[in-house]
Amino acid sequence: MQWSLMKDINEKRVKYLYEAVQQGTVRAAADKLNVSPSAVSRQIALLEEELATTLIERHRTGVTVTEAGAVVLTYYRELRSHQEECLSKLNSLHGLQSGHINLAVGEGFVGDLMSDPLPEFNRRFPNLTLSVTTGGTNKVMRLIEEDQAHVGLVFHPPNHPGIRTQAKNCQPLCVIVAPSHPLLLLHRPVTFQEAIGYPYALQDGQFGIRQLLAIVEFKERIRLSPQVTTNSIGVLTHFVRSKMGVTFLPAFVVAREVADGQLCAIAIEHPILASGEAHMITRLGRQLPEGPLMLLQHLKTWMRAFKSGGD
């Protein structure tokens, strides 16, 4: 059977496909859509029949998208983006009286965002609503790539052909210690070897901080063995405050704790760790609606004034 390019694509069925792939299983998609798993499977099967191609592959652990399915999902994301842009333009005719923005950020950015730029933006545009999703660098980039978030804030993201950096600034990694830690007695920046001479806690591999440290591991031909591995910055800071050891973070992440005298940030003499960067990202080629575009411009101004680790 030859697929005719004149066929209409059933948007409802594509939505079922989209959720099955996003959630990883048909059952999880059914839970989100509030329908039965058989209904999800049936709609996907009908879509595959209409398009005369296999869109997903089923495994014991869930579903994965085929090459043809990826094409259909790209179409669906672009369709949603165009619909959103249309609604945004209509809203802009009324002075941004409504609209919704999805922001995805690394956990370390939350304190700075909520202390000034987001409250100020809310005062300027009180009728715009905002969703803030936190996650590691990999998760934030995936949300941006799949149009589940308009704007992302990440630390040291890897190069990605589908991601555009809108603004960035230097944020060196520091060793974070308790106020009574022996490293403070040196009264100077420390070497990486000096820092890892103490027990340390690290983020897991989905985070840009750990990925930057992995480059150091490769270059220095060492293997890091953290006493604690976590996906929570809160766990890292409690680890240090409890005097269990040290951790590695950009200074801005713990600026409040440093100001309160609970923690101290010590510069590290290492060219790779000094090259850490905070990036504001969007999907390459995406035309942001009016509301997210206004937030992007607002956050660009904030990024220019964003303090680096040494300030």
Side-chain angles (χ1 to χ4, degrees), residues 44-306:
I44 294 174
L46 288 171
L47 183 63
E48 289 179 322
E49 182 179 339
E50 290 172 354
L51 301 181
T53 187
T54 301
L55 301 174
I56 59 172
E57 295 177 347
R58 292 169 171 81
H59 309 283
R60 286 189 304 172
T61 56
V63 299
T64 56
V65 67
T66 65
E67 185 176 357
V71 171
V72 174
L73 291 183
T74 298
Y75 152 80
Y76 182 65
R77 293 186 186 108
E78 292 292 342
L79 178 64
R80 291 174 63 194
S81 180
H82 290 318
Q83 290 175 338
E84 185 180 50
E85 183 182 1
C86 176
L87 291 173
S88 173
K89 288 180 178 178
L90 293 174
N91 286 332
S92 67
L93 296 175
H94 301 285
L96 283 178
Q97 293 301 307
S98 63
H100 188 74
I101 305 168
N102 292 304
L103 182 63
V105 302
E107 182 188 353
F109 293 95
V110 172
D112 283 279
L113 281 172
M114 297 305 297
S115 66
D116 185 39
L118 290 187
E120 181 183 345
F121 186 80
N122 179 251
R123 287 190 294 270
R124 292 174 58 190
F125 305 104
N127 294 318
L128 292 177
T129 57
L130 186 69
S131 294
V132 180
T133 302
T134 62
T137 297
N138 294 354
K139 178 181 178 180
V140 171
M141 293 184 70
R142 177 177 58 79
L143 292 174
I144 293 295
E145 183 186 12
E146 296 177 352
D147 285 351
Q148 295 186 62
H150 296 104
V151 179
L153 279 168
V154 290
F155 181 81
H156 200 74
N159 291 328
H160 190 293
I163 298 294
R164 177 183 177 185
T165 292
Q166 295 281 354
K168 64 181 179 180
N169 61 22
C170 184
Q171 297 291 341
L173 275 191
C174 298
V175 56
I176 310 302
V177 302
S180 59
H181 198 277
L183 283 175
L184 291 168
L185 299 177
L186 299 176
H187 300 292
R188 60 166 172 79
V190 301
T191 67
F192 186 61
Q193 289 294 339
E194 286 173 330
I196 61 174
Y198 297 88
Y200 50 90
L202 300 178
Q203 289 181 311
D204 60 39
Q206 65 177 308
F207 291 86
I209 291 172
R210 186 62 183 270
Q211 292 162 19
L212 189 61
L213 288 169
I215 299 174
V216 176
E217 285 185 273
F218 177 78
K219 293 288 187 180
E220 302 287 348
R221 296 184 179 180
I222 59 175
R223 183 179 180 86
L224 294 177
S225 301
Q227 190 168 13
V228 172
T229 301
T230 179
N231 65 352
S232 166
I233 288 177
V235 171
L236 296 180
T237 57
H238 280 291
F239 176 87
V240 176
R241 289 169 61 184
S242 300
K243 300 182 180 180
M244 296 175 65
V246 306
T247 192
F248 300 90
L249 293 168
F252 77 87
V253 175
V254 292
R256 183 166 298 177
E257 289 89 342
V258 169
D260 292 342
Q262 301 175 32
L263 297 173
C264 296
I266 306 174
I268 304 173
E269 286 187 340
H270 198 288
I272 294 174
L273 299 182
S275 69
E277 294 178 331
H279 285 236
M280 184 184 307
I281 59 173
T282 59
R283 179 172 66 78
L284 184 66
R286 184 177 188 183
Q287 297 298 313
L288 290 177
E290 187 73 11
L293 184 59
M294 293 296 293
L295 178 63
L296 176 65
Q297 297 303 325
H298 179 72
L299 293 181
K300 278 186 176 181
T301 301
W302 167 72
M303 282 282 282
R304 285 194 290 270
F306 196 38

